[in-house]
């Protein structure tokens, strides 16, 4: 609010926006200053907001998106017009794809010039471009509408299926002034922004009846289940029914990965063998082979495997998107899981306890699990020179075990896939990664937001290629002195460092990088700690020290350049490999 020496009489667009955000408990902005929002970043800081300035808007956007996932409040990303907006748009779209709530606020050029295409500074019709790529998009032209604009953006981001929202604020708006009292009255504190959605009792009963009829039931937990923050009830449902479960990548830790009912180590056994599957907050998209094909026991890659599905989701349109859903349960996960538990408990008290899965089914899973775990144990125990993914991740696995509340950020191909299966998670929402798109570049944005939101240690396991997409943000990590330890798995390239140019020409192959690069020097350049680690012992000492000291640290972990495979675990998605299938 603008103040003169006496009473505040006038306010302006800048302050109304800041007040509207603060009124709704949104106290952190991830962004990058410039025309027309530089003053906004200064004023936001002056008004007590946390303003985290990045080196590239995509990273600020990714930070906002994951802050939204972790807190259930929309993360705020602030950018300048056209190029800054476009840089942020990648993250906004990725957030929408992943069902993370965020609001991208971009300054924009003057409407009358943009609409006549007269060549304004950074001219672009940003609203039109954002619209198809996010959940909702709004523009505010008058200062008295800022309150409504922010309220609409918040509701759109967090209600129903969460997603990304674009808020377009033309430069002129910020300087518009209005009576301070009227301005204050125009702001809206959003009441119940993500209302509970109670499932229909008959849908709950239908789902439970189907699940009860199963001979080989399975539960799949997705990142929607992690987002819902219904941790205790989800655990109670899993334990009460005794049904084995598979966590999707970002649902790892919702129940500890060491839980006896986890079937993660028997994934390729349980998917085709299960007859009824309860899906909680996951989609039957590519990560679950669209619910059909060989992964699910189908004869060819398009065949249905015969499973019946119960699907809990807040989006009524999710059901039947890939295969038939026999029992959709539509509602928010907290309400749906609670309703299921209540029904099970009520039946139990009136003499019909839940029938636990058969010993045959559980025994077969345990057998497969034990074999896989023993096999992995053998590989992890080896100590090759140079390090490979397994020997390095054996260290990371121990570190997370002793620091279960540390956040783990993960991206890469082999660096991603091996970490997912080797590093057990013990607490909900501690693992954040490339998500639905398998996108590279989330690393440092996620790491910064994870540190800002949790205040605790963050460990980022990064492929050397993946790291490159956001690597400049190590300066941001140093500037805000965040307890982030980046571990770059340096195998000299994308997937491997051994490809050669078949022509023998001077250019290296498209997938290889400078050999023996020292990423640790990047962190040192900004005053952080850099460590070059060539053995598991060096890696262990460095990560332990980083977690202890909370100093920004980057460890260049040298990995055998022959150890990776093309595309990691998803080799079959490469067109040439797919053709051979
Ligand atoms: O049951 P089986 O026998 O099958 O075994 C499974 C489990 O049972 C077992 N397991 C266990 N065993 C023992 N103990 C335990 N605890 C245990 N837990 C599990 O292990 C196996 C595997 O289990 P998992 O992981 O559960 O199962 P699976 O079959 O792998 O699951 C299937 C999927 C599909 C769910 C899973 O694979 C998955 O989530 N995949 C995600 C893959 C993904 O998203 N990859 C990233 C994209 S790759 C590519 O696109 C890349 N690019 C291109 C690019 C991108 N992406 N973005 C942009 C903006 N530009 C370009 C690039 C550039 S990756 C990349 C960089 C790569 O290079 P880097 O240097 O960064 O990385 P390096 O590869 O390291 O060099
Ligand atoms: P994963 O990648 O882990 O499989 P997805 O992102 O594919 O998970 O799926 C998440 C699902 O969770 C989406 O379909 C989304 O609609 C749903 N979802 C998100 N939040 C909630 C919630 N609070 N209640 C119910 N469903 C939710
Ligand atoms: Mg690599």
């Amino acid at each position: 609010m603008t103040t003169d020496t006496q009473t505040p009489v006038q306010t302006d667009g800048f302050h109304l926006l800041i007040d509207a955000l603060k009124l709704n408990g949104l106290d952190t902005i991830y962004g990058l200053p410039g025309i027309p929002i530089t003053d906004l970043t200064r004023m936001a800081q002056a008004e007590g907001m946390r303003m985290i300035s990045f080196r590239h808007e995509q990273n600020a956007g990714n930070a906002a998106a994951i802050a939204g996932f972790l807190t259930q409040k929309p993360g705020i990303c602030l950018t300048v017009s056209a190029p800054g907006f476009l840089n942020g748009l990648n993250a906004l779209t990725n957030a929408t794809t992943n069902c993370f709530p965020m609001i991208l606020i971009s300054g924009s050029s003057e409407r009358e010039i943009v609409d006549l295409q007269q060549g304004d500074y950074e001219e672009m019709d940003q609203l039109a471009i954002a619209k198809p790529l996010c959940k909702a998009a709004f523009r505010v032209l008058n200062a008295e509408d800022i309150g409504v604009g922010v309220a609409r953006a918040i509701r759109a981001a967090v209600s129903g299926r969460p997603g990304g929202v674009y808020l377009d604020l033309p430069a002129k708006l910020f300087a518009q002034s209005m009576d301070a009292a009227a301005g204050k009255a125009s702001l809206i504190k959003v009441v119940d922004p993500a209302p509970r959605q109670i499932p229909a009792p008959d849908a709950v009963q239908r789902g439970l009846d189907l699940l009860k009829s199963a001979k080989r039931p399975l539960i799949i937990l997705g990142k929607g289940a992690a987002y819902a923050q219904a941790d205790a009830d989800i655990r109670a449902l899993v334990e009460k029914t005794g049904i084995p479960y598979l966590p999707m990548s970002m649902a790892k830790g919702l129940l500890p990965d060491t839980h006896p009912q986890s079937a993660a180590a028997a994934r390729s056994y349980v998917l085709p063998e299960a007859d009824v599957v309860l899906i909680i907050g996951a989609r039957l998209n590519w990560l679950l082979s669209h619910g059909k094909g060989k992964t699910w026991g189908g004869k060819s890659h398009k065949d249905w495997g015969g499973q019946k599905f119960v699907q809990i989701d807040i989006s009524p349109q999710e059901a039947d998107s890939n295969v038939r859903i026999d029992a959709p349960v539509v509602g928010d996960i907290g309400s749906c899981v609670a309703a299921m538990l209540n029904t099970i408990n009520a039946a139990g008290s009136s003499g019909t306890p839940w029938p636990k899965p058969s010993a045959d089914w559980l025994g077969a899973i345990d057998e497969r699990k034990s074999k896989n775990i023993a096999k992995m144990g053998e590989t992890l125990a080896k100590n090759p020179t140079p390090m490979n993914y397994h020997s390095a991740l054996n260290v990371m696995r121990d570190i997370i075990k002793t620091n279960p509340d540390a956040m783990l950020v993960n991206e890469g191909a082999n660096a991603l896939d091996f970490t997912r299966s080797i590093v057990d998670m013990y607490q909900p929402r501690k693992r954040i990664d490339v998500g639905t798109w398998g996108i590279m570049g989330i690393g440092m944005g996620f790491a910064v937001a994870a540190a800002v939101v949790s205040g605790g240690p963050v460990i980022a396991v990064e492929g050397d290629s993946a790291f490159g997409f956001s690597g400049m943000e190590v300066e941001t990590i140093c500037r805000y002195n965040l307890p982030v330890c980046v571990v770059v798995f340096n195998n000299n390239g994308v997937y491997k460092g051994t490809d050669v140019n078949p022509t023998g020409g001077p250019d290296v192959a498209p997938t290889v990088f400078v050999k023996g690069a020292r990423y640790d020097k990047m962190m040192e350049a900004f005053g952080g700690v850099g460590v070059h680690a060539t053995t598991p012992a060096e890696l262990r000492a460095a990560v332990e020290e980083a977690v202890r000291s909370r100093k920004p640290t980057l460890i260049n972990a040298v990995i055998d350049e022959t150890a990776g495979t093309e595309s990691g675990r998803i080799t079959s998605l490469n067109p040439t490999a797919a053709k051979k299938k």
Side-chain angles (χ1 to χ4, degrees):
M1 220 169 269
T2 326
T3 52
D4 58 22
T5 50
Q6 295 297 311
T7 41
V9 284
Q10 290 281 296
T11 187
D12 58 22
F14 287 118
H15 289 90
L16 284 167
L17 177 63
I18 293 164
D19 291 346
L21 294 173
K22 282 171 65 179
L23 184 65
N24 285 288
L26 302 173
D27 55 8
T28 306
I29 295 178
Y30 304 92
L32 201 158
I35 298 169
I37 50 112
T38 316
D39 280 341
L40 181 63
T41 62
R42 293 193 185 107
M43 291 176 192
Q45 191 173 53
E47 297 285 335
M49 293 188 79
R50 186 115 202 245
M51 179 69 223
I52 307 287
S53 266
F54 283 77
R55 304 300 294 260
H56 189 288
E57 291 90 349
Q58 185 175 310
N59 307 320
N62 284 322
I66 209 66
F69 170 75
L70 294 172
T71 63
Q72 294 184 325
K73 287 198 245 169
I76 304 295
C77 175
L78 178 66
T79 78
V80 301
S81 24
F85 156 77
L86 286 174
N87 286 345
L89 194 56
N90 178 302
L92 183 73
T93 313
N94 186 52
T96 308
T97 302
N98 280 282
C99 316
F100 299 156
M102 74 171 277
I103 303 173
L104 173 67
I105 303 178
S106 296
S108 57
S109 308
E110 300 315 335
R111 292 283 353 126
E112 56 272 33
I113 306 182
V114 173
D115 288 349
L116 278 171
Q117 298 173 28
Q118 293 175 307
D120 202 359
Y121 168 73
E122 295 191 348
E123 174 181 299
M124 176 173 276
D125 189 356
Q126 295 167 201
L127 187 75
I129 289 164
K131 236 176 214 169
L133 298 174
C134 60
K135 193 176 165 195
F138 306 100
R139 176 185 294 134
V140 181
L141 292 177
N142 298 311
E144 62 263 32
D145 293 330
I146 287 177
V148 169
V150 169
R152 299 212 73 185
I154 292 171
R155 280 199 188 280
V158 296
S159 63
R161 172 181 278 176
V165 176
Y166 175 60
L167 192 58
D168 191 78
L169 303 182
K172 263 190 202 162
L173 175 79
F174 296 112
Q176 275 180 32
S177 61
M178 68 181 287
D179 175 74
K184 192 171 177 199
S186 73
L187 301 183
I188 297 174
K189 182 167 167 52
V190 179
V191 176
D192 198 10
R196 283 193 305 154
Q197 294 190 21
I198 314 291
D202 57 328
V204 172
Q205 194 59 57
R206 189 189 299 122
L208 286 175
D209 288 347
L210 183 53
L211 203 56
K212 210 188 256 184
S213 73
K215 293 203 163 52
R216 295 177 305 280
L218 177 70
I219 295 176
I220 295 179
L221 301 174
K223 59 171 127 55
Y227 174 78
Q229 300 197 13
D231 309 337
D233 273 0
I234 289 172
R235 184 171 185 153
L237 182 69
V238 171
E239 291 180 343
K240 191 103 206 174
T241 59
I243 298 174
Y245 72 93
L246 264 188
M248 298 301 286
S249 192
M250 282 176 57
K252 275 167 72 78
L254 198 43
L255 283 83
D257 279 337
T258 47
H259 193 285
Q261 284 172 252
S262 169
R267 188 180 199 270
S268 58
Y269 175 72
V270 291
L271 288 178
E273 290 297 320
D275 60 351
V276 179
V277 182
L278 167 63
I279 304 171
I280 309 181
R283 287 169 286 186
L284 286 171
N285 57 15
W286 72 279
L287 289 156
L288 283 166
S289 307
H290 305 282
K292 55 194 169 189
K294 290 184 177 166
T295 307
W296 291 87
K299 287 195 194 73
S300 81
H301 75 285
K302 281 196 170 143
D303 280 347
W304 177 47
Q307 287 81 5
K308 298 209 175 243
F309 292 99
V310 183
Q311 185 166 29
I312 300 182
D313 206 288
I314 202 153
S315 165
Q317 290 144 342
E318 187 52 40
D320 305 329
S321 56
N322 281 275
V323 290
R324 181 170 62 236
I325 301 297
D326 296 276
V329 182
V330 176
D332 70 277
I333 285 167
S335 301
C336 293
V337 170
M340 282 191 165
L341 269 175
N342 289 341
T343 311
I344 291 171
N345 288 337
S349 337
S350 49
T352 323
W354 183 265
K356 291 277 159 107
S358 73
D360 279 358
W361 174 230
L362 299 182
I365 296 172
D366 275 346
E367 195 185 316
R368 180 61 75 106
K369 257 175 81 173
S370 309
K371 268 193 203 143
N372 267 352
I373 290 172
K375 207 165 77 190
M376 183 185 284
E378 277 171 31
T379 327
L380 292 177
K382 291 182 186 148
N383 191 2
T385 307
M387 282 191 284
N388 62 12
Y389 290 96
H390 288 87
S391 60
L393 285 167
N394 191 34
V395 171
M396 303 314 297
R397 175 182 161 99
D398 289 349
I399 305 250
I400 294 293
K401 192 173 180 185
T402 44
N403 299 279
D405 54 348
M407 296 282 316
L408 178 67
V409 179
N410 190 201
E411 62 177 337
N414 296 278
L416 173 87
D417 292 339
F418 283 119
T419 306
R420 185 180 59 249
S421 56
I422 293 172
V423 177
D424 288 331
M425 304 306 295
Y426 299 87
Q427 294 180 13
R429 294 171 296 283
K430 295 295 183 190
R431 185 189 153 84
I432 46 182
D433 66 29
V434 300
T436 306
W437 263 353
I439 192 170
M440 299 297 113
I442 48 87
M444 297 305 101
F446 276 18
V448 168
V452 167
V453 167
S454 74
V458 178
I459 298 170
V461 175
E462 300 272 312
D464 50 344
S465 163
F467 173 69
F469 287 73
S470 66
M472 191 62 205
E473 304 298 345
V474 294
E475 189 275 333
T476 310
I477 291 168
C478 289
R479 186 166 15 107
Y480 292 97
N481 195 23
L482 298 172
V484 174
C485 172
V486 184
V487 183
V488 175
F489 275 26
N490 187 354
N491 65 345
N492 297 335
V494 178
Y495 314 134
K496 278 171 177 275
T498 48
D499 280 2
V500 288
N501 177 344
T503 70
D507 292 346
V508 295
T511 52
V512 307
F513 296 153
V514 166
K515 296 223 184 271
R518 293 289 300 273
Y519 293 95
D520 47 317
K521 301 283 179 198
M522 285 176 68
M523 190 60 106
E524 284 177 2
F526 303 106
V529 178
V531 181
H532 182 59
T534 58
T535 64
E538 286 170 3
L539 177 60
R540 189 182 299 271
V543 185
E544 281 175 353
E545 176 55 18
V547 172
R548 194 202 59 73
S549 71
R550 295 176 58 96
K551 286 191 186 143
T553 301
L554 192 152
I555 301 161
N556 184 53
V558 178
I559 302 288
D560 180 354
E561 64 175 5
T562 68
T565 53
E566 175 106 1
S567 304
R569 292 275 299 173
I570 55 171
T571 303
S572 63
L573 294 181
N574 285 321
T576 40
K579 220 162 96 187
K580 285 190 209 136
K581 269 212 316 185

